[in-house]
Amino acid sequence: MIRLHLPTIAAVCALAALPLSAAADELDPTGAWSAYSGGQAPLPPMGWNSWNAFYHDVDEEKVIASAQVIVDSGLADAGYRYINIDDGWWLKRDADTGRMVIRTATFPSAATGSDRTSFRPLTDRLHAMGLKAGIYSDIGRNSCGQTFGHGNANNPAGTLAEREVGLYDHIDQDIALYFGEWGFDYIKVDGCGIRGMGADNPNVQKGIYREMAPLIDFDSIAKTDVPAVKDLFAQVGQALVRHNPDGDFLYSLCIWGSANVRSWAKEYGNISRTSEDIAPYWGRMLHNLDSASRRALYAQPGNWNDPDMLFVGTGDFDSDHPAEARSHFSLWAMLNAPLIIGYDLRKATPEQLAILGNRDLIALNQDPAGNQAVLAYDTEDVQFFVKMLADGTKAVALFNRTATPMPVTLTADHLKYAADGQVALTDLWSGEASSFTGEQAFTLAPHETRVFRAAGTRALPGGMYLSEMPGRINVAEEGIDFPEPDPMIHRAIVPWQNTRSNGERPRYTGWGGARADSTPYGQMLRIADREFLTGIGVLANSRLEVRGDGFRRFSAMVGRDDSGSDDGSRVRFEVYGDGKLLGASEWMGLAEPAKPLSVDTGGAAIVELVVRGDGKATRPVPVTWGDAALLP
Ligand code: GAL
């Protein structure tokens, strides 16, 4: 067992002299939690948004009507709170003052008799109903409707300058207006204006909109200016802090998984879209699900993966498809996705309201531990998701992705429960209770998701595997030098193109990111032929911040993962507690047996797990923190 305690200056200097990779500075411990802590998202937001229900055809009556159903049906009591207006509300930007003008033909209460329109009456009304209010903007000069030529009737009007309704060059002014004066509590910031207003946009060519060299190239990360995109989103974040002295805001990023945002959004805002738009088709729901489902380590209280809004109520999730509607809702609940309803609630049936209002499912999504479910079984046909809850019990979702019945077996191993102990299950859709020891067979109906609350004998009594607590882990450095598209995402017909293309291609970067119970590229964790059912898989040159309070020891079996290539490079594992080196491994090459690395953390609030490469690697080097756990 290696138990090094090297807190002395000499030891730290010796460490610094070792050959390190270019990322050395970022690997230095900070003793701090560096993920976003602004705004109000200790739990995933819940609410309603106009887009999936009405697209650009949004108006005040529709917004208030859905808000009223949310209150009257009990959904507000169940936690749905934010009422968000999406694209289509704006008329123009006042040419003299730059102040945004609301389309009063559709939002009559905003009329004041002049161009100094105000959403204050609407936000006051929503607040008086016990709700919160959300607004929508774009980080570029123009909206999505303008950029992609849809939503013509409600696109902004006036001169070219008046039609520039986006935040670009107006961040402080607009955020002051929306939050300080109009009283909004939430903003969704879209990115069409920095994606599609290049010289090739037909409306730019016609002189209707000003050209803006795209910062985002959806098909090429190399042609995307990631620092510039980050900088714009950071500016909005700073303005939100300035104009919300009480901190009561929620910041939603919407650049659809582009610009490598799946890796950095957690430092910039509260929720961030992991993919392009959801649509009311089964295949598209799978696409959006997959964009977030392997990224459990990239969500924690304060910032959440956003696979887009719910489509319960429409198309493949309408009242003729209750199994699909329940699956969509169950999966979003398990993933800690924002639960934002996208349906004209005036049309909702009692059965649909019952799905959206299932308190047991909502409780999983709103569980204070904030652990996004981790994949315990993963195929194209069936997936099992397991989520550790704050009270020590677990939730498990058994998901049939296919249109045929699927016989499946849930084992105690999937739940990290002892094989000889009894596991008690409560079905959260039927309420039925059952139990099993060892394993239990089920047959999943087509597209069905069975969701259970599970209680059993923990395989690691007293301690907690790191892969059971993704909500307490922040991937501060993931060791990826060249972001690549994630190939594991279901590719479906893109509804707005149909088959007028060569198909859906992998496009969302984030491939190779840190994973719970898996290597970064999806293999089983394995060091020198020894398999680890649990652990954290990450690349060398990485630094993970782990909330260590409540525990006194960290232990793991560490080594280069067998899935890496034999490039002769070596890695070193280091564990820090509140910024101080507590222990480290030797430098380890491929196929060297796993080494134990166990340290006394002394209850450190932040335990940092660093893996340094020796700078000789020619390819990304997967490394494994096997059986990594915090112990009492
Ligand atoms: C898209 C966004 C949608 C919706 C739409 C409005 O970019 O992903 O959720 O906001 O713009 O035009």
Side-chain angles (χ1 to χ4, degrees):
M1 174 176 295
I2 299 178
R3 288 185 57 189
L4 299 181
H5 293 275
L6 301 173
T8 63
I9 303 271
V12 173
C13 288
L15 193 61
L18 292 167
L20 302 178
S21 86
D25 289 346
E26 287 93 38
L27 299 182
D28 287 345
T30 64
W33 182 257
S34 63
Y36 191 71
S37 58
Q40 295 294 323
L43 301 171
M46 296 174 64
W48 178 90
N49 174 293
S50 54
W51 184 251
N52 289 352
F54 304 116
Y55 299 103
H56 285 89
D57 198 15
V58 56
D59 65 37
E60 183 164 356
E61 199 190 321
K62 291 169 179 161
V63 172
I64 290 293
S66 280
Q68 196 62 54
V69 176
I70 284 192
V71 173
D72 296 344
S73 65
L75 289 179
D77 288 340
Y80 292 93
R81 188 162 301 121
Y82 289 100
I83 303 297
N84 299 343
I85 304 168
D86 209 278
D87 203 354
W89 63 266
W90 29 33
L91 182 65
K92 62 178 182 179
R93 185 181 289 286
D94 183 86
D96 299 325
T97 62
R99 182 185 164 98
M100 286 293 300
V101 184
I102 300 158
R103 184 178 292 277
T104 53
T106 45
F107 288 91
S109 78
T112 57
S114 77
D115 264 359
R116 285 186 65 81
T117 52
S118 174
F119 262 133
R120 185 53 98 159
L122 180 63
T123 62
D124 279 350
R125 192 165 169 194
L126 291 170
H127 289 148
M129 293 166 81
L131 301 169
K132 288 187 170 281
I135 185 97
Y136 168 91
S137 192
D138 196 283
I139 197 81
R141 291 195 186 99
N142 295 101
S143 69
C144 290
Q146 293 173 315
T147 309
F148 295 112
H150 53 75
N152 300 326
N154 280 340
N155 269 346
T159 64
L160 182 143
E162 286 171 328
R163 282 183 278 109
E164 292 190 344
V165 293
L167 291 166
Y168 199 80
D169 281 339
H170 293 275
I171 290 175
D172 195 68
Q173 177 180 27
D174 288 0
I175 298 296
L177 180 66
Y178 301 165
F179 286 82
E181 192 175 325
W182 290 350
F184 281 100
D185 312 292
Y186 182 119
I187 187 165
K188 170 174 166 185
V189 180
D190 219 322
C192 294
I194 57 168
R195 168 180 176 183
M197 278 298 182
D200 58 344
N201 183 310
N203 287 327
V204 168
Q205 287 165 358
K206 284 185 214 144
I208 296 175
Y209 301 119
R210 198 175 355 164
E211 180 187 343
M212 183 177 192
L215 300 177
I216 292 174
D217 182 330
F218 220 106
D219 299 309
S220 166
I221 189 67
K223 292 193 187 129
T224 295
D225 189 343
V226 176
V229 176
K230 281 184 172 183
D231 180 58
L232 287 173
F233 280 97
Q235 287 181 41
V236 175
Q238 286 149 13
L240 284 166
V241 171
R242 265 196 304 282
H243 298 294
N244 287 282
D246 60 356
D248 188 8
F249 66 87
L250 196 141
Y251 183 18
S252 155
L253 277 62
C254 179
I255 51 169
W256 335 275
S258 72
N260 200 24
V261 71
R262 300 195 308 153
S263 295
W264 54 261
K266 61 191 175 51
E267 289 150 41
Y268 286 76
N270 297 119
I271 65 174
S272 174
R273 284 276 298 279
T274 48
S275 70
E276 287 232 74
D277 292 11
I278 193 169
Y281 304 104
W282 185 254
R284 193 65 185 174
M285 189 278 288
L286 293 180
H287 174 89
N288 283 51
L289 168 75
D290 292 352
S291 73
S293 64
R294 297 181 182 87
R295 301 192 65 80
L297 296 176
Y298 293 79
Q300 322 96 17
N303 51 85
W304 309 101
N305 291 316
D306 177 5
D308 205 2
M309 300 169 287
L310 294 166
F311 243 128
V312 171
T314 307
D316 287 352
F317 312 100
D318 70 7
S319 47
D320 292 334
H321 299 87
E324 285 78 2
R326 282 196 294 265
S327 277
H328 178 15
F329 190 71
S330 302
L331 294 162
W332 262 234
M334 290 291 286
L335 287 191
N336 288 359
L339 296 180
I340 307 289
I341 298 167
Y343 189 49
D344 179 355
L345 287 173
R346 295 173 301 189
K347 299 189 300 192
T349 63
E351 293 75 24
Q352 287 170 331
L353 291 173
I355 292 175
L356 295 166
N358 181 320
R359 300 265 182 150
D360 292 330
L361 266 294
I362 291 171
L364 303 184
N365 180 267
Q366 298 287 297
D367 183 76
N371 294 317
Q372 175 174 325
V374 169
L375 274 163
Y377 180 82
D378 188 12
T379 62
E380 300 280 354
D381 299 329
V382 165
Q383 291 175 313
F384 296 170
F385 291 91
V386 175
K387 186 184 205 304
M388 180 85 199
L389 302 167
D391 68 359
T393 64
K394 297 197 171 194
V396 55
L398 314 179
F399 173 40
N400 179 2
R401 296 167 66 103
T402 77
T404 50
M406 279 285 164
V408 302
T409 306
L410 175 69
T411 70
D413 263 357
H414 290 131
L415 293 160
K416 303 194 198 305
Y417 284 156
D420 55 357
Q422 200 185 53
V423 180
L425 297 179
T426 309
D427 184 316
L428 299 187
W429 285 111
S430 71
E432 231 171 78
S434 62
S435 66
F436 73 90
T437 304
E439 61 177 52
Q440 174 70 50
F442 298 91
T443 298
L444 303 175
H447 295 170
E448 186 185 29
T449 305
R450 301 282 300 268
V451 188
F452 301 96
R453 197 121 180 180
T457 312
R458 293 171 52 73
L460 185 70
M464 182 127 37
Y465 289 120
L466 261 52
S467 61
E468 294 182 298
M469 45 184 269
R472 295 172 67 119
I473 300 175
N474 177 43
V475 185
E477 290 298 328
E478 55 184 1
I480 296 175
D481 289 330
F482 302 102
E484 287 180 77
D486 182 344
M488 296 292 281
I489 293 167
H490 181 80
R491 294 174 301 128
I493 290 180
V494 178
W496 45 93
Q497 290 176 334
N498 194 262
T499 53
R500 285 179 217 93
S501 74
N502 306 102
E504 171 84 326
R505 306 292 162 155
R507 44 180 16 188
Y508 313 122
T509 49
W511 183 228
R515 296 272 312 261
D517 295 344
S518 164
T519 74
Y521 302 116
Q523 285 87 12
M524 288 294 300
L525 298 170
R526 202 187 299 264
I527 304 170
D529 291 332
R530 174 167 172 188
E531 194 168 89
F532 293 91
L533 289 179
T534 182
I536 301 293
V538 64
L539 297 178
N541 301 315
S542 55
R543 182 170 64 84
L544 309 176
E545 296 160 0
V546 183
R547 291 197 189 276
D549 49 292
F551 298 96
R552 300 210 66 84
R553 293 195 66 70
F554 167 83
S555 90
M557 296 294 296
V558 301
R560 273 193 60 172
D561 194 89
D562 287 1
S563 59
S565 62
D566 191 4
D567 57 7
S569 77
R570 296 187 307 157
V571 300
R572 175 180 150 112
F573 293 76
E574 300 165 3
V575 183
Y576 296 83
D578 290 337
K580 288 197 195 76
L581 184 66
L582 302 177
S585 74
E586 297 153 17
W587 287 88
M588 298 178 69
L590 188 71
E592 274 185 44
K595 302 260 168 55
L597 180 51
S598 171
V599 299
D600 188 344
T601 65
I606 303 293
V607 173
E608 280 164 277
L609 306 181
V610 174
V611 185
R612 295 181 197 265
D614 63 5
K616 293 183 185 147
T618 50
R619 289 162 173 253
V621 176
V623 295
T624 288
W625 295 89
D627 289 342
L630 282 169
L631 304 166

